[in-house]
């Protein structure tokens, strides 16, 4: 903060005014002492003793020193108050500048004391407002993308359903076999739409800020083994050997078993679907740090490196097309990540030429649900 010539003149004027006030008070005190106090015998005798005992030739010296100290103290207080006032004016001016939309502006001064704490609080408040605005923009953009993707994914099967049902409606099938064929295609497309709608509903539930977990105590080893058993037949039909490697002892945990089953089913079904050119799927449960890890690995074709960072984004499909022949709704891994986030855990993927491994890490206890 820079002081201008006008500020120095004002400070000088305040000091001169203070000096005049102190001088006037001193003169009044001197007049009162000479004309009233010193006429009282007891006070005159007391003053005389002070002069003799302390060798003070003039009793005005202590008064002068006292007056000088009072003036110095008054000057310091006035200067300090004036500087604080100037700082406050500058802070208010910069606040007006910020209020006009310059939210990235930082107040250029940081006074000491409570005023400095006010400046820090202002900076924190503006940062919180910026973060909230950015989050709002991100959510708005996210909603637009969600509507676009859902519209795209619903339009394709819906067009097929309308087309084939239209052929049936117009009796354009030549025989019973054609009729069944058209009806079957419409039915399959309707199932695809049902999968997308159900996944979308699940995704919005777990992404909702008010989403909660139905926590129960369960044995993680038993849960993983039960889910894995349901995929053995599917894996065998795909020419894959499914192996489950779990600890011998129980692992008691707290969590939402229905949601965790959804995560495991998604990871294992993906391993079967995308590991068909491999020979094996390995599911492991093991201790990792202060929590438990579950890994699902297959030795099929690796995931291209450029796709790995986007795997947990909604509607993302590795095959690069929106076809449902190999891909699902594109929401499975996004739902899995949201569920694991609710459990305060993490999910990651590593893909090499030998193995593609998805790893879920869960804490033994969840602080709040």
């Amino acid at each position: 903060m820079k002081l201008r010539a006008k500020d120095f003149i004002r400070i000088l004027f305040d000091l001169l005014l203070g000096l005049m006030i102190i001088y006037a008070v001193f003169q009044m005190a001197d007049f009162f002492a000479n004309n009233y106090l010193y006429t009282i015998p007891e006070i005159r005798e007391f003053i005389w003793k002070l002069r003799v005992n302390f060798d003070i030739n003039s009793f005005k010296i202590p008064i002068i020193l006292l007056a000088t100290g009072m003036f110095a103290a008054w000057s310091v207080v006035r200067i300090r108050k004036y500087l604080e006032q100037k700082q406050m004016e500058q802070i208010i001016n910069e606040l007006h500048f910020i209020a006009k939309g310059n939210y990235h502006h930082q107040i250029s001064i940081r006074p000491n004391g409570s005023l400095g704490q006010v400046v820090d609080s202002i900076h924190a408040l503006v940062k919180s407002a910026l973060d909230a605005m950015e989050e709002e923009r991100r959510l708005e953009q996210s909603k637009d993308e969600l509507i676009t993707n859902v519209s795209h994914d619903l339009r394709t099967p819906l067009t097929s359903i309308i087309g084939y049902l239209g052929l049936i409606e117009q009796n354009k099938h030549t025989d019973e076999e054609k009729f069944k064929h058209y009806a079957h295609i419409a039915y399959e497309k309707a199932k695809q739409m049902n999968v997308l709608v159900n996944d979308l509903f699940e995704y919005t539930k777990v992404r909702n800020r008010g989403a909660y977990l139905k926590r129960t105590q369960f044995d993680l080893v038993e849960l993983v083994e039960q889910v894995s058993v349901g995929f053995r037949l599917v894996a065998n039909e795909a020419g894959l050997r499914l192996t489950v490697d779990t600890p011998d002892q129980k692992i008691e945990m707290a969590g939402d078993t229905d949601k965790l089953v959804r995560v495991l089913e998604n990871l294992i079904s993906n391993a079967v679907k995308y590991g068909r050119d491999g020979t094996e799927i390995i599911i492991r449960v093991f201790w990792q740090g202060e929590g438990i890890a579950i890994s699902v690995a297959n030795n099929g074709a690796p995931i291209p490196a450029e796709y790995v960072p986007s795997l947990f984004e909604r509607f993302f499909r590795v095959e690069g097309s929106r076809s449902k022949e190999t891909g699902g709704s594109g929401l499975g891994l996004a739902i899995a990540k949201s569920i694991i986030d609710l459990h305060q855990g993490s999910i990651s993927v590593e893909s090499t030429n030998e193995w593609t491994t998805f790893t879920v890490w869960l804490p033994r206890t969840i602080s709040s649900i």
Side-chain angles (χ1 to χ4, degrees):
M1 183 185 66
K2 294 182 179 180
L3 296 178
R4 296 168 294 181
K6 183 173 67 174
D7 298 322
F8 285 108
I9 293 173
R10 182 175 173 181
I11 293 174
L12 181 61
F13 177 78
D14 279 352
L15 294 180
L16 289 175
L17 180 62
L19 183 61
M20 291 173 64
I21 293 173
I22 295 294
Y23 178 76
V25 171
F26 174 73
Q27 290 297 327
M28 290 177 62
D30 184 60
F31 175 81
F32 180 76
N34 288 327
N35 290 278
Y36 296 98
L37 290 179
Y38 292 167
T39 60
I40 301 174
E42 289 80 3
I43 294 179
R44 189 169 58 247
E45 182 179 355
F46 176 72
I47 296 299
W48 175 257
K49 289 180 179 179
L50 286 177
R51 289 178 176 177
V52 171
N53 293 332
F54 296 97
D55 194 24
I56 299 177
N57 293 326
S58 176
F59 196 65
K60 291 183 179 181
I61 293 178
I63 298 178
I64 292 173
L65 293 176
L66 178 62
T68 302
M70 290 175 60
F71 174 71
W74 185 87
S75 300
V76 170
V77 170
R78 289 293 299 171
I79 292 174
R80 188 172 182 178
K81 185 176 181 180
Y82 183 78
L83 292 176
E84 289 179 352
Q85 182 181 349
K86 293 298 294 183
Q87 290 174 337
M88 182 61 74
E89 289 176 359
Q90 181 171 344
I91 291 172
I92 291 173
N93 290 334
E94 295 196 43
L95 278 176
H96 285 309
F97 181 71
I98 294 173
K100 291 178 181 178
N102 304 289
Y103 301 117
H104 292 284
H105 177 74
Q106 293 276 311
I107 296 175
S108 56
I109 60 173
R110 202 282 182 189
N112 295 323
S114 58
L115 194 56
Q117 295 176 358
V118 171
V119 171
D120 292 340
S121 298
I122 291 171
H123 288 163
L125 181 62
V126 172
K127 184 179 183 304
S128 297
L130 281 175
D131 292 343
M133 291 168 61
E134 184 62 31
E135 177 68 10
E136 188 67 26
R137 281 194 291 267
R138 190 189 66 79
L139 288 175
E140 194 63 32
Q141 181 182 2
S142 180
K143 289 177 184 177
D144 292 341
E145 292 175 355
L146 181 63
I147 293 171
T148 301
N149 288 328
V150 170
S151 300
H152 186 288
D153 280 10
L154 287 176
R155 183 172 57 189
T156 302
L158 188 58
T159 301
S160 297
I161 292 171
I162 293 173
Y164 284 104
L165 290 181
L167 292 175
I168 296 174
E169 177 72 17
Q170 298 167 20
N171 293 318
K172 290 189 177 181
H173 52 280
T174 56
D175 52 33
E176 188 69 20
E177 214 42 52
K178 281 285 185 182
F179 176 85
K180 290 182 178 180
H181 177 66
Y182 293 162
H184 176 73
I185 294 177
Y187 174 68
E188 291 297 324
K189 296 297 180 181
K191 287 200 301 183
Q192 289 180 4
M193 289 182 61
N194 186 58
V195 169
L196 175 61
V197 171
N198 288 337
D199 282 352
L200 184 62
F201 179 68
E202 182 69 20
Y203 178 75
T204 54
K205 279 202 308 181
V206 296
R207 289 291 295 172
N208 192 328
R209 291 184 180 181
Y212 66 95
L213 299 178
K214 191 184 299 182
R215 183 169 60 177
T216 57
Q217 291 291 130
F218 67 96
D219 178 8
L220 182 63
V221 172
E222 182 181 358
L223 181 73
V224 171
E225 290 177 347
Q226 286 180 353
V227 174
S228 302
V229 166
F231 284 91
R232 288 193 183 277
L233 179 60
V234 178
N236 289 335
E237 291 176 351
L240 299 169
R241 183 174 68 255
L242 193 151
T243 305
V244 180
D245 180 13
T246 59
D248 295 331
Q249 72 275 21
K250 292 183 177 181
I251 299 179
E252 294 290 338
M253 294 188 65
D256 191 322
T257 54
D258 290 339
K259 287 183 170 60
L260 290 176
V261 166
R262 174 68 186 261
V263 173
L264 290 171
E265 288 179 344
N266 179 269
L267 295 181
I268 300 173
S269 64
N270 281 349
V272 174
K273 186 185 302 180
Y274 298 107
R276 290 181 180 274
D277 52 352
T279 59
E280 190 172 9
I281 296 174
I282 299 178
I283 302 170
R284 295 179 59 228
V285 177
F286 55 95
W287 297 94
Q288 188 177 78
E290 297 182 356
I292 309 297
I294 308 166
S295 67
V296 179
N298 73 84
N299 60 351
I303 300 172
E306 63 270 21
Y307 293 144
V308 170
S310 305
L311 280 179
F312 298 102
E313 295 178 5
R314 64 189 182 195
F315 296 108
F316 181 81
R317 298 190 185 94
V318 171
E319 61 269 18
S321 71
R322 307 194 72 82
S323 168
K324 299 292 196 321
E325 297 303 320
T326 56
S329 66
L331 289 170
L333 288 177
I335 293 172
K337 184 179 185 308
S338 297
I339 291 173
I340 298 305
D341 288 343
L342 284 175
H343 283 83
Q344 301 170 7
S346 63
I347 183 169
S348 60
V349 59
E350 181 181 6
S351 187
T352 65
N353 290 330
E354 290 78 26
W355 292 94
T356 295
T357 306
F358 284 84
T359 303
V360 170
W361 181 87
L362 295 169
R364 287 294 301 276
T365 57
I366 305 173
S367 58
S368 62
I369 299 180

